[in-house]
Amino acid sequence: MIGTQLWLRGLFVAPLFVAASAGIFSCATLFEGSTQTIAVNSDPPGATVTFNTGVKKVTPFSIEVPRNRDLQLHFGKPGYAPVNSSDNARVDPLGTLDMVPLMLPWLVDAADGAGFEHQESTITAHLDPEPGSAPSSSKRIGVPSPAATP
Amino acid sequence: MTSQSLRWQVSAQRAFPVTLVLTLLLAGCALQEGHVNLSYAPIRPPFPVDRPNLPPVAVTVIDERSTQVVGEKINQFGMKVADIVSDTNVPDLLKTAFGDDLKQFGFPEGGNGNTVFVRLGYLHNQFTIGIFHWESTATIGMEVSVKRADGSIAYRRYVIGESKEWIFVAGEKNAQRMLDAAIQRGVAKVFNDSAFINALSKR
């Protein structure tokens, strides 16, 4: 008798638990959204930046980018050696809250990208004048750039 | 403590390890580094190649990538868990790709003519998860320039090649397929640009 009561209670509690998990804990989707604003600058300004998404803009500018998309940026300016830079997406530390109730809320935040964030919210590239045919410099945010010239 | 609450407590204690194990199993921990072998299929020229006296062309590829990683494996929750690296030498692959396609277009290989400089900025595949499907997006970014024998630049363009598909497995095979397609599309963009062919046709 008691076993049946417990089973019936579980039958009602389980869907409530799932609904509450999705509603309460998918906080990144609710409060942060699936895009993030990053600022892009160059020294000197006026460089054309080409994103791996195909978007082209001239520095300085701010742009809304998907939180879950790794970004590669190419800075080009006549007379200056081009610079490559990247800004990868990583799991938002607050997303760990999502993992408490059986990971269900995380699936919501991960699917729409809200559970991620970009490592850098401001990207600045320094462009050196192009000395004849000198190769360009390469730079990755947060990672020391190797000498990648022949 | 009533017998009912005691039963709840015991049930919860039993459920916790089961939930933990299930969660870890679902996470599909692909922690080992993945490897891909990239390849390239030459482009068929859109016009018959019968043009004598075309100047010779040399190809130089400069790898400006800061990493040899070409992607990351993700688990069932979209978290990056392991790198994917290329066993193929990507600059060599690009050099062969441009060289073979130039031959297809009728340009003899050699010095004392124009030089095609390819600066490889990045080559990367990213897996992302959705509610009902996963997605794989591979991109290549490279600056292509044509330099005359006197050092002047006759052509310069930054090219992006992208390949994107819905997938069901975020593994090396799909990454390799998408990266191959991204390279193919990037190189095709260059050869489909009449300014590039025109720049190479003159000395």
Side-chain angles (χ1 to χ4, degrees):
Chain A
M1 188 65 187
I2 292 174
T4 310
Q5 280 179 346
L6 281 175
W7 186 83
L8 282 171
R9 187 175 293 181
L11 200 67
F12 287 109
V13 168
L16 277 176
F17 179 73
V18 169
S21 298
I24 295 169
F25 286 93
S26 297
C27 51
T29 297
L30 294 173
F31 298 112
E32 293 186 331
S34 57
T35 60
Q36 180 181 356
T37 303
I38 59 165
V40 182
N41 305 299
S42 68
D43 174 28
T48 302
V49 180
T50 311
F51 287 80
N52 55 332
T53 53
V55 174
K56 268 189 184 180
K57 279 184 169 285
V58 177
T59 58
F61 64 89
S62 291
I63 186 170
E64 288 268 321
V65 293
R67 286 178 166 272
N68 62 348
R69 181 82 195 263
D70 289 345
L71 295 177
Q72 276 90 30
L73 299 85
H74 174 83
F75 292 77
K77 185 177 169 71
Y80 290 86
V83 169
N84 295 306
S85 179
S86 64
D87 187 9
N88 290 337
R90 65 178 177 192
V91 173
D92 187 339
L94 285 175
T96 47
L97 287 174
D98 282 347
M99 296 172 197
V100 180
L102 297 174
M103 302 291 284
L104 184 70
W106 169 254
L107 286 178
V108 176
D109 280 344
D112 66 11
F116 297 87
E117 66 175 7
H118 282 274
Q119 291 179 0
E120 304 290 333
S121 56
T122 302
I123 298 166
T124 305
H126 178 79
L127 281 73
D128 293 321
E130 200 165 31
S133 60
S136 68
S137 59
S138 181
K139 179 187 159 200
R140 186 178 186 188
I141 302 290
V143 178
S145 59
T149 55
Chain B
M1 188 179 283
T2 64
S3 62
Q4 196 170 332
S5 62
L6 189 64
R7 282 182 190 213
W8 271 101
Q9 196 176 339
V10 170
S11 304
Q13 279 173 351
R14 282 180 185 166
F16 179 73
V18 175
T19 308
L20 190 69
V21 168
L22 279 174
T23 305
L24 289 174
L25 282 174
L26 276 169
C29 300
L31 298 172
Q32 279 192 331
E33 185 179 83
H35 294 262
V36 290
N37 284 301
L38 303 176
S39 59
Y40 179 81
I43 298 168
R44 187 180 282 269
F47 49 81
V49 179
D50 185 21
R51 297 191 293 174
N53 302 322
L54 285 172
V57 182
V59 179
T60 301
V61 179
I62 302 162
D63 191 357
E64 294 186 339
R65 293 175 301 159
S66 54
T67 174
Q68 299 300 310
V69 173
V70 292
E72 293 88 15
K73 291 182 191 176
I74 60 170
N75 63 11
Q76 303 291 337
F77 303 110
M79 297 161 182
K80 293 171 183 173
V81 287
D83 287 339
I84 297 175
V85 295
S86 170
D87 288 341
T88 314
N89 185 315
V90 180
D92 281 354
L93 178 72
L94 273 180
K95 187 172 179 172
T96 308
F98 273 88
D100 288 351
D101 284 349
L102 285 166
K103 277 184 207 161
Q104 295 266 353
F105 277 73
F107 292 97
E109 191 182 349
N112 299 323
N114 298 315
T115 306
V116 174
F117 279 97
V118 181
R119 298 179 192 278
L120 175 63
Y122 60 86
L123 175 65
H124 190 258
N125 179 75
Q126 185 183 11
F127 293 120
T128 48
I129 67 166
I131 295 284
F132 300 111
H133 68 277
W134 290 21
E135 209 167 63
S136 176
T137 309
T139 42
I140 183 172
M142 56 188 168
E143 187 188 79
V144 180
S145 55
V146 174
K147 209 174 202 180
R148 299 258 185 261
D150 64 5
S152 61
I153 302 289
Y155 173 91
R156 180 178 276 180
R157 184 184 173 194
Y158 188 73
V159 178
I160 294 169
E162 185 184 85
S163 178
K164 194 175 197 174
E165 265 183 30
W166 287 10
I167 51 152
F168 293 101
V169 180
E172 295 99 320
K173 278 188 182 173
N174 277 324
Q176 181 174 305
R177 198 166 52 82
M178 301 310 287
L179 287 164
D180 282 347
I183 294 171
Q184 179 84 32
R185 286 176 191 176
V187 176
K189 259 189 188 179
V190 178
F191 280 85
N192 286 332
D193 187 354
S194 57
F196 175 70
I197 302 295
N198 288 340
L200 288 172
S201 302
K202 297 167 190 166
R203 283 181 189 273

